[in-house]
Amino acid sequence: IARTYRILPPISRNFAVRSRNSPVAMSEAMGEKPSLKRQRDGSVETDEKERHRTEEGEVPDDFKRRKAGNASPKAAADAAEPEKAVSGEPTTRKPVGTAEALQKLRKALQSRTDAKFLKAVVLFERLLGAQMAEDNAEAFFEAAMEVLSAAEERRNVGEEKVEVAEERRAAEARLLDAFNVNSGLLQDASKEHLRRCNLAMKVYQALDDDESFGFNKAMRKVRAAVEALSPSAVNGVALRGQWCRAVLKLLDKAFYYYTMRAFAKQSIEQLFTLVKHHRQYFSEDRRGELDELINAMDRKQKGLEAAPRSAARQLNSKAHPLRKRGAAILR
């Protein structure tokens, strides 16, 4: 009757009618002030997490300790760190030494995941610039040895072509540059390996330059590397084999561009002429691979890789065997 004569306002859709036995009413009767959540249908329920919060919106300390006790020891220690920082107590964080950091970065540098490898290279560069000295220079070089050796062997042309992301190749070049800056701290054997890495990585990459100036500059370095294989310059069978492997990698790259770049033909022919004269400089186990490159270069120059002519006389041919003594006619 009251609603009919508009004595009372209509009940809103968001208005919740609470009974005496509802959780909200019972909590208010006991003197508590739980926080409420209003649902779409107008009902009100309490939130378990909100029940533990104070009026300022912060979680009490007893709830923190109870939550940390149910978690793992590591999680409990992490939860106690902010309390120590607020109370002024020093946080216990064990410092990491240079040797331990190198061991961890060495494993990260061997990762095949590009994102993890790029992050490890950035951290390694920072550590190298800050902590590398004469007493630990060899440890730094050994930590990056596997990465540099893999980049030294890798090829991007020919049958042994290996696809690598450009960002990974750029990170390897930065790692090599970091050692080039501090090469004076390394021993002689490490310096020798570093020079081979520069030849097999930087010069090899410079041969991809499609401009004549950059390509010819790289070709001069390749010719100098061939001349440096003399017995007086390189001593030891193992060391000579390593240098020959790096030079053969460059020769293979130069031969790949022989028929692709007109401006490069003359310099590549001069390079292989020099290689023929210095064939005895190469180790015996590498001369077979060298002879294959030389023979392939000779076939390219003479044009014998074109379609071969038929050695027999074709059927119903009008060519007279006595008048035309061609090489393709059977007499």
Side-chain angles (χ1 to χ4, degrees):
I1 298 174
R3 194 175 295 111
T4 304
Y5 291 94
R6 299 181 181 179
I7 299 175
L8 295 177
I11 299 176
S12 175
R13 184 176 298 178
N14 297 328
F15 183 76
V17 179
R18 296 180 295 181
S19 62
R20 295 181 179 180
N21 297 327
S22 64
V24 179
M26 293 176 64
S27 61
E28 290 181 353
M30 295 175 64
E32 299 178 357
K33 294 182 179 180
S35 60
L36 305 179
K37 273 191 176 181
R38 191 175 302 279
Q39 304 297 325
R40 291 185 178 180
D41 56 354
S43 62
V44 179
E45 66 176 8
T46 57
D47 192 358
E48 186 69 19
K49 293 183 180 179
E50 296 291 337
R51 190 179 300 169
H52 296 283
R53 294 186 178 274
T54 58
E55 296 179 357
E56 292 79 10
E58 297 180 356
V59 181
D61 295 339
D62 57 347
F63 180 72
K64 285 185 180 180
R65 287 190 294 268
R66 198 160 55 246
K67 184 178 179 181
N70 298 330
S72 60
K74 182 178 180 182
D78 295 339
E81 286 294 331
E83 297 181 0
K84 291 183 179 180
V86 173
S87 61
E89 299 179 5
T91 57
T92 58
R93 192 170 184 178
K94 184 179 179 181
V96 179
T98 304
E100 186 179 355
L102 283 177
Q103 190 68 21
K104 292 182 178 180
L105 289 176
R106 184 173 186 173
K107 295 180 180 179
L109 289 173
Q110 298 173 4
S111 175
R112 296 182 179 180
T113 306
D114 292 339
K116 187 175 181 180
F117 174 77
L118 296 177
K119 184 178 180 180
V121 169
V122 173
L123 296 176
F124 191 88
E125 288 178 343
R126 294 178 183 176
L127 186 65
L128 187 145
Q131 300 294 334
M132 185 172 177
E134 189 174 358
D135 55 344
N136 59 4
E138 291 298 321
F140 274 92
F141 192 73
E142 289 179 1
M145 180 80 71
E146 187 171 349
V147 178
L148 296 178
S149 299
E152 181 184 0
E153 297 290 338
R154 190 189 307 128
R155 301 188 182 189
N156 59 1
V157 297
E159 298 179 356
E160 302 179 2
K161 181 179 180 180
V162 179
E163 295 290 343
V164 179
E166 188 64 29
E167 296 178 353
R168 191 181 187 95
R169 187 180 292 110
E172 292 171 350
R174 293 202 317 269
L175 192 64
L176 183 63
D177 291 336
F179 282 106
N180 288 331
V181 174
N182 301 277
S183 60
L185 302 175
L186 300 175
Q187 297 181 2
D188 294 339
S190 300
K191 291 179 182 178
E192 191 81 10
H193 190 185
L194 191 62
R195 285 194 293 268
R196 284 199 312 272
C197 290
N198 281 285
L199 185 67
M201 293 173 59
K202 287 186 169 296
V203 180
Y204 186 80
Q205 193 69 23
L207 289 174
D208 292 330
D209 196 348
D210 55 354
E211 295 183 359
S212 59
F213 178 78
F215 183 82
N216 292 329
K217 182 179 179 181
M219 288 295 293
R220 288 194 295 269
K221 294 181 180 179
V222 177
R223 287 195 293 268
V226 173
E227 294 175 350
L229 291 175
S230 60
S232 60
V234 180
N235 297 322
V237 178
L239 186 59
R240 178 176 297 278
Q242 295 171 359
W243 276 104
C244 291
R245 185 171 63 252
V247 172
L248 284 172
K249 178 182 175 181
L250 299 175
L251 294 177
D252 185 36
K253 186 69 166 290
F255 174 75
Y256 175 78
Y257 287 120
Y258 177 68
T259 57
M260 298 178 62
R261 296 174 177 174
F263 65 85
K265 283 189 174 182
Q266 184 178 0
S267 59
I268 294 175
E269 290 176 356
Q270 294 175 357
L271 172 63
F272 275 84
T273 302
L274 179 67
V275 169
K276 291 179 183 178
H277 293 305
H278 294 80
R279 181 180 177 275
Q280 69 276 10
Y281 288 176
F282 289 81
S283 56
E284 295 182 359
D285 58 337
R286 297 290 175 180
R287 288 179 186 176
E289 185 179 354
L290 178 64
D291 292 339
E292 291 180 1
L293 284 174
I294 293 175
N295 294 334
M297 187 67 189
D298 292 340
R299 290 194 299 268
K300 287 281 188 180
Q301 288 178 328
K302 296 177 181 179
L304 295 181
E305 286 193 351
R309 295 177 295 175
S310 59
R313 185 178 175 184
Q314 297 180 359
L315 183 64
N316 298 328
S317 176
K318 296 181 180 181
H320 197 280
L322 298 179
R323 292 178 182 176
K324 296 181 180 180
R325 299 179 180 179
I329 299 177
L330 179 63
R331 295 187 294 273

